[in-house]
Every structure is written in C-alpha cells, then in structure tokens.
Amino acid sequence: MKVLHRIDELRATLGRQQRIALVPTMGNLHQGHLALVRQAKPLGDVTVASIFVNRLQFAPHEDFDAYPRTLESDCAMLEAVGCDVVFAPTERELYPEPQAFRVQPPTELADILEGHFRPRFFTGVCTVVLKLFNIVQPGVAVFGKKDYQQQLILRRMVKQLGLPVDMVIGETLRAEDGLALSSRNAYLDARARAEAPQLAMALQAMVQALRAGSTDYQALETRAMQTLSGRGWQPDYMSIRRREDLLAPTQGDALVVVGAARLGSTRLIDNVEV
C-alpha cells in the first residue's frame, strides 16, 4: 500500500489506472470506514482512501483542532483490508491558497436539519469532495449512510454537475448494542458510552410507531425529544422526513427518521429508514 501526501505524486501513481474507487474519510478510522473500503475494492482496479480533516466544514466553536489525527494506525487498518493507496494531504497541499471558490448546495436541502445547526457545513463538505474528485478522478466513490443528509446532498451534486462518478452508499454499521459506529464515539467516557445507544433506541421507537400506522408525526417527534431530554441529552432534532429530499413527508412517501443530540460534550447523529 502506498501512502501519498502530494497531489502530483498521487496523479503519477494513478495515471494508468482504468477505474479508481475512492473512499473519502477524515481519518480516525473505525470498522464502518473499513467496511466501505471492502465494499469499494471490487468496484475498481485500484482502491484509494483519502484522509483529510477538512477545516471548511467545521464552525469556529467546533472540534477541528481537537479532532483525532491517527494516520499511522489508520494506515495499518487500511492496509489490512487491502486498500491500495492512501492519499493524506496536508492542509497546505489541498488548500495552497484561501479556498474562495466554494460549492453552495441548494438551501432547501442544505439549510435544514444538520445544516440548520451547523451553518455552511455542507458547503465545506461539497467543496472538499468536489476537489477530491477532481484530484483523484474516481469512477466510483463510496460513502456511508450514517451521514444521511450528507450522502443525499453529495449524490445531488454529482448528478447536477454531471460528474462521471458512480455514487455507492454503504449501510450503517452498529455496535452490538445498536450504537452507530462513528469517529466521535471515541469522545465518550464509559458512562456516556453506556447511555449512547438510547439515540438509536429512540429512533427505533419512532419507526415502530410509524410501521404500526401512526401518522401523528409531530407527536412522535416531540415524544422522542422529551425521552432523550429526560435522560440528560440535549437533542437538536428527532425528525420524520421523506427519503428522497428530507422534506416534510406526505402520504405514501418512503420515510427516514433522523436524529441528532448531544450527550455531554459529544454530538451524535443517526438515522433509520422506515
């Protein structure tokens, strides 16, 4: 496995490849990331994992400086699952000058849910992903479904900009107690880790009610928020949306239940399709 830090090195290495499969990450990898790499491997002639903590998607009060940088262990894990190339650029390499050109996703998709609580987050995500696509030139890119709104926006970006990239979305991996795997789970102390599966349980309770025929979406959302608040969480949203665009559902829509909440200082997100 090659570990490359410069764009020119990467392009020289990938120049003769027929089809590249890319798995973009911010590092601090877990089994969910490795599952995406395994999913990507048969989809291309060479598998590339990028590792870059993207400042553009962090608000000033968020954890950019504290976000774990674990390149050595990340590379060991990636090599063990057969990744061919790791592209781990420095910030100066990827942003050699201030990134004045940015990708602005439509507000109706990017300013709701996560975008409401994290303004300009999806502008940062779309900008870095488009830049990685331009650098790596993948034929296929694999993202996880845990970041539901993110993968939806990125798929829309690829479609509207006519990018020659097949988007593949991997299922969310969970611990045995139901907690969705996330790099930020590492922030949880033992007590918080024991409590953390309650987010998934609250989402599952909403799903069960919907499958049982409940149509009082607001009541279900309020009950879920109150359940988490009563356990010491600070929920941002627990919401029932339609899968295709995350707008308010109408009768007959395919649904997804999405949630985000803080447990202590750690913010967790999750979703369950109905």
Side-chain angles (χ1 to χ4, degrees), residues 241-260:
R241 300 293 175 116
R242 61 186 188 188
R243 293 185 198 176
E244 64 177 291
D245 54 16
L246 292 177
L247 297 182
T250 56
Q251 188 173 4
D253 288 333
L255 303 178
V256 60
V257 179
V258 293

Side-chain angles (χ1 to χ4, degrees), residues 9 35 42 46-47 58 83 93 96 120 126 140 161 171 219 247:
E9 292 176 332
V46 61
T47 305
F58 287 79
C83 185
E93 179 72 12
R120 297 179 296 280
C126 289
V140 59
L161 295 182
E171 293 296 327
L247 297 182

Side-chain angles (χ1 to χ4, degrees), residues 58 85 108 128 136 150 176 186 222:
F58 287 79
V85 176
E108 66 271 15
V128 75
V136 179
Q150 174 177 284
E176 290 185 4
T222 299

Side-chain angles (χ1 to χ4, degrees), residues 30-253:
H30 52 68
Q31 289 300 317
H33 295 112
L34 301 184
L36 299 181
V37 174
R38 293 188 187 98
Q39 190 170 357
K41 278 191 66 63
L43 303 179
D45 302 304
V46 61
T47 305
V48 179
S50 64
I51 295 177
F52 181 70
V53 183
N54 178 39
R55 185 186 296 272
L56 296 187
Q57 67 195 67
F58 287 79
H61 66 280
E62 293 183 325
D63 59 343
F64 174 78
D65 290 328
Y67 195 89
R69 275 76 165 173
T70 55
L71 182 60
E72 185 175 350
S73 61
D74 290 344
C75 288
M77 295 168 71
L78 288 168
E79 187 168 25
V81 296
C83 185
D84 299 303
V85 176
V86 173
F87 178 48
T90 63
E91 192 168 22
R92 182 180 294 274
E93 179 72 12
L94 205 61
Y95 299 129
E97 59 185 60
Q99 187 67 35
F101 287 87
R102 302 193 184 192
V103 180
Q104 178 61 57
T107 57
E108 66 271 15
L109 195 58
D111 289 356
I112 61 173
L113 301 170
E114 284 298 284
H116 175 76
F117 289 93
R118 304 183 68 187
R120 297 179 296 280
F121 170 72
F122 289 114
T123 295
V125 170
C126 289
T127 300
V128 75
V129 169
L130 181 60
K131 196 158 192 175
L132 287 170
F133 283 177
N134 285 333
I135 292 167
V136 179
Q137 297 286 299
V140 59
V142 185
F143 293 85
K145 192 180 283 187
K146 185 184 76 70
D147 299 296
Y148 202 91
Q149 189 173 2
Q150 174 177 284
Q151 58 85 23
L152 179 62
I153 289 172
L154 290 174
R155 286 193 289 117
R156 290 285 184 89
M157 180 185 77
V158 166
K159 181 179 180 180
Q160 289 202 3
L161 295 182
L163 303 179
V165 182
D166 295 331
M167 296 289 282
V168 174
I169 308 303
E171 293 296 327
T172 302
L173 256 64
R174 298 182 180 276
E176 290 185 4
D177 58 8
L179 177 64
L181 299 189
S182 169
S183 296
R184 286 189 168 90
N185 292 350
Y187 296 161
L188 301 169
D189 61 23
R191 189 173 186 177
R193 176 60 186 83
E195 172 65 23
Q198 292 296 326
L199 176 60
M201 293 176 67
L203 292 171
Q204 287 288 356
M206 296 169 73
V207 169
Q208 291 171 10
L210 291 168
R211 289 175 176 167
S214 176
T215 57
D216 192 343
Y217 299 157
Q218 185 173 355
L220 293 178
E221 292 169 351
T222 299
R223 186 183 310 150
M225 295 277 283
Q226 291 174 342
T227 296
L228 290 176
S229 295
R231 300 185 65 91
W233 293 68
Q234 296 174 296
D236 286 340
Y237 58 84
M238 299 289 284
S239 189
I240 300 163
R241 300 293 175 116
R242 61 186 188 188
R243 293 185 198 176
E244 64 177 291
D245 54 16
L246 292 177
L247 297 182
T250 56
Q251 188 173 4
D253 288 333

